[in-house]
Amino acid sequence: MRKKLVIGNWKMNGQRSLNSERASHLISLTASLSSVGVAVCPPFPYLAQLSGLLFGSHVHIGAQNLCAFSSGAYTGEVSAHMLVDSGCRYVLIGHSERRTLFGETDVDVTRKVELAQHAGLTPVICVGETLEQRERGETDSVIIGQLRAVTETLGVDVLSKAVIAYEPVWAIGTGLSASPEQAQAVHEKIRQWVAAQASVLADTLQILYGGSVNAQNARSIFSQPDVDGGLIGGASLDPAIFAQICRVAEEVEKVAV
């Protein structure tokens, strides 16, 4: 049975004076959860602060990105080992905003996955199609192509210590969201593709949905058989809303059991 996982991506938001209150509320509001994993990914400057605030709690820390090089003269970059040293368990890799706004390629994503796992981090590998690609019927080929780029270099077993997040680019920060059926169709395709290479791995692989998930649509999305939780953007900035989404994930998990 795959455990539900909900990760909050704060993106470029946060403030030291607010983070303490936000973390305290999140710990309190999710303290009763036992069947769902919870994590937050704050901006780099706040990783150490949040790691301290959440230390000893059930809420884990993740980073939003990492450098494609392990160390050296790469001004402005942050390495995988630095993230581990800051208390991170997870790291987002290949988020649609990194791909579209900063030109990250499948080669970059693959290299980052390798470095993350070598350092002991769990990479959250983000995949997704644009609206134009979906309208041309290319969703499956785009998603599988992004995953194949990683597994052809690192082997399919790399996914045994990774999480996949499907986030349609057209649903990121737009208020639009894939329907539960649309999300399920892509998640099912991903799992079938992995199963064709490693059936046992496919059964345990966590596949999250990301794209304007909120307290109103979380239940219908998380109830889909191949959706194992969510990568939450804007809604994760409000501890009450984010905790409500996490509680929905736990309720769905318990019903499934």
Side-chain angles (χ1 to χ4, degrees):
M1 190 69 184
R2 297 181 301 272
K3 184 178 181 178
K4 286 285 195 291
L5 173 64
V6 181
I7 300 176
N9 177 15
W10 289 8
K11 304 192 179 185
M12 199 170 70
N13 296 285
Q15 186 175 338
R16 284 189 63 86
S17 59
L18 298 177
N19 294 343
S20 179
E21 181 179 2
R22 184 178 288 167
S24 177
H25 285 168
L26 181 58
I27 291 172
S28 174
L29 292 169
T30 59
S32 63
L33 301 181
S34 59
S35 301
V36 58
V38 180
V40 293
C41 298
F44 287 143
Y46 304 130
L47 286 175
Q49 181 195 18
L50 267 296
S51 180
L53 291 170
L54 297 173
F55 180 78
S57 77
H58 56 286
V59 182
H60 299 290
I61 293 291
Q64 299 175 16
N65 189 29
L66 78 162
C67 184
F69 301 95
S70 58
S71 65
Y74 301 102
T75 301
E77 293 293 325
V78 177
S79 74
H81 288 287
M82 291 176 182
L83 298 181
V84 173
D85 201 31
S86 298
C88 290
R89 171 177 289 197
Y90 298 98
V91 59
L92 308 183
I93 299 179
H95 189 280
S96 64
E97 291 162 358
R98 297 300 311 175
R99 293 178 187 263
T100 59
L101 299 178
F102 299 97
E104 290 194 2
T105 66
D106 289 338
V107 173
D108 296 324
V109 170
T110 300
R111 178 61 176 156
K112 290 182 179 187
V113 169
E114 182 178 28
L115 288 172
Q117 290 191 335
H118 187 263
L121 293 164
T122 297
V124 180
I125 306 171
C126 301
V127 296
E129 83 284 11
T130 64
L131 181 59
E132 292 77 13
Q133 290 168 331
R134 172 168 280 274
E135 290 177 339
R136 291 197 299 265
E138 299 172 354
T139 295
D140 290 352
S141 62
V142 169
I143 302 302
I144 300 307
Q146 291 170 340
L147 290 174
R148 184 181 288 115
V150 176
T151 60
E152 283 186 344
T153 300
L154 304 179
V156 71
D157 285 344
V158 73
L159 299 180
S160 67
K161 297 181 180 179
V163 174
I164 293 175
Y166 166 56
E167 41 158 34
V169 179
W170 48 271
I172 305 299
T174 63
L176 300 174
S177 179
S179 69
E181 294 75 21
Q182 288 174 319
Q184 166 59 22
V186 176
H187 283 229
E188 182 179 25
K189 182 67 176 182
I190 291 171
R191 203 175 303 281
Q192 289 175 342
W193 178 77
V194 175
Q197 304 167 79
S199 58
V200 175
L201 172 56
D203 290 337
T204 59
L205 179 63
Q206 289 175 308
I207 308 176
L208 313 184
Y209 172 75
S212 299
V213 177
N214 53 50
Q216 287 69 48
N217 62 19
R219 187 176 302 277
S220 59
I221 293 174
F222 292 171
S223 295
Q224 300 302 309
D226 288 297
V227 178
D228 303 313
L231 177 57
I232 315 301
S236 69
L237 296 173
D238 185 321
I241 295 175
F242 185 60
Q244 185 177 352
I245 294 172
C246 292
R247 287 195 295 272
V248 167
E250 170 134 314
E251 291 167 5
V252 170
E253 179 89 352
K254 290 182 176 179
V255 169
V257 173

